[in-house]
Structure formats: C-alpha cells, structure tokens
Amino acid sequence: GADGCKILNPYDPRADRSVSGFDVTHIFSANAVYELPFGRGKVLNPGNAIASYLVGGWQLNTIVNLNSGTPYYVTYSGDLANTGRGFVKANVVGNPKPANRTPAQWINTAAFATPAPFTFGTMGRNSLRSDWNKNWDLSLFRIFPLIENCNLEFRAEAFNVTNTAVFSAPSSTINATNFGVVNSTANSPRELQLALKLSF
C-alpha cells in the first residue's frame, strides 16, 4: 500500500527509493469569475426596469481541479523475508495495467506473484498510481440591493457538478481475497446547495 518510507532491506536501501506515499506529481487548478451580460448597462438589456433588476447582476463562478493519483504498490502480507516487517513487496511478472480497467479489476492481478521465502520482492515502492483526481465546481451569485446599506445575497452552488467518481487505490495485498478491487471513492458525489445571506 501507499506508506511513508519503510526500508525493507537495510543492506539495499536503493531498492526502496521512490516518491513519498502522499506525492502528487501533477496539479492543475483554474478558476474563473464571469458577470453575466444581462440587465441595465449590459449587452443584453431587456429594456424593462423590473426585468433588468431581476436578470442583472448575476455572477457565474467556476473552479476546475485536476491532479495525479496517489502512489501505491503491491505487497504480500506475511514475513516471507524473515525480517519482522510483516510484509514484503510482490514480484512483477507482467504488465500491471489491465486491458479493460474497471473498479472490479483496477490492476492486472496476474502480473504479480508471491516472492520466494527469504526474498524481498522485485516491485518498486510506490510505482503505481490510483485514479487521477478531476473535479469541477460551479456557482451562481447575485446581490439584490434592498434599502440603504441592506443587501440580500443569493447563492446556488454545485460541488462535483458532473458527479464524476474518483476511485481510491485498489486493495494491493496479493494474498487478500479482494486483491485488485477498488472498494471506495476518493471524492464525494455531487452536492447542491442554496443559500441566502442578508447584510445590513
């Protein structure tokens, strides 16, 4: 699994050299704020005072986040190396990427083998990645002037607006019954909320 920095073989520390268990190599984040072109003084003016008041002043906001998945690697649960660690890395004997990746088979389980007794396994630490993160948030704001120094703010917000699932790392213990299976998601499903705020 994705851990901190455990050296399995003190006589060969280079075999465990890798990124940290919380490494995120690539991160992209972008946001935008756009005032909709409706209402008095805007490109699209309905020409009616009441209609202009209702459709004017709306602000659209969006945030997009994309980043790499978290690192993990395949292990065998048991002290095969006789070091007291309780686990060793698996041997890699094929291509870890399956032909058709699904949560039920996130990795090609046939690409890994249990190492021989008193060996440490050939897999590189944290050499695999979980699903990459993708998230799009969207919101719509409007401030309604009421009387002097008194405003009513309306907010409509959608988090993970596309309701896209980001899968957690699969079970990465080769001798576990659910090896290679994703059991959870790393994000939350779509959330919608409405809010009113009175400022005076």
Side-chain angles (χ1 to χ4, degrees):
D3 65 352
C5 186
K6 298 176 181 177
I7 303 298
L8 291 178
N9 182 0
Y11 297 102
D12 186 19
R14 295 173 70 89
D16 288 304
R17 183 175 181 178
S18 182
V19 298
S20 66
F22 51 84
D23 175 79
V24 179
T25 306
H26 304 291
I27 299 175
F28 173 82
S29 182
N31 67 81
V33 177
Y34 177 63
E35 186 175 350
L36 299 180
F38 305 116
R40 186 169 57 183
K42 299 296 191 298
V43 176
L44 301 176
N45 184 2
N48 178 279
I50 296 178
S52 294
Y53 176 82
L54 293 176
V55 303
W58 289 94
Q59 177 180 300
L60 188 65
N61 313 279
T62 184
I63 301 175
V64 175
N65 289 302
L66 307 172
N67 59 258
S68 306
T70 54
Y72 70 97
Y73 60 110
V74 175
T75 61
Y76 174 89
S77 180
D79 191 16
L80 284 179
N82 196 31
T83 61
R85 286 289 189 186
F87 75 97
V88 292
K89 294 179 290 185
N91 284 339
V92 181
V93 296
N95 183 0
K97 186 177 180 179
N100 182 28
R101 175 173 282 174
T102 65
Q105 188 182 30
W106 195 257
I107 53 178
N108 176 18
T109 55
F112 305 94
T114 301
F118 308 108
T119 63
F120 293 93
T122 61
M123 183 169 202
R125 186 176 69 87
N126 290 339
S127 55
L128 298 176
R129 293 270 175 174
S130 65
D131 192 15
W132 60 289
N133 178 64
K134 48 271 186 191
N135 186 73
W136 180 25
D137 296 334
L138 196 65
S139 62
L140 189 65
F141 291 4
R142 168 67 202 272
I143 295 178
F144 294 92
L146 299 178
I147 56 176
E148 184 178 1
N149 298 324
C150 185
N151 298 313
L152 181 67
E153 182 180 15
F154 169 78
R155 294 178 176 228
E157 298 170 305
F159 304 96
N160 186 13
V161 66
T162 58
N163 201 32
T164 301
V166 176
F167 297 108
S168 300
S171 172
S172 56
T173 304
I174 193 173
N175 52 334
T177 56
N178 61 344
F179 174 47
V181 177
V182 173
N183 296 307
S184 62
T185 56
N187 67 337
S188 301
R190 181 194 298 120
E191 296 180 16
L192 305 175
Q193 66 180 32
L194 301 176
L196 285 175
K197 183 174 72 173
L198 183 63
S199 302
F200 56 90

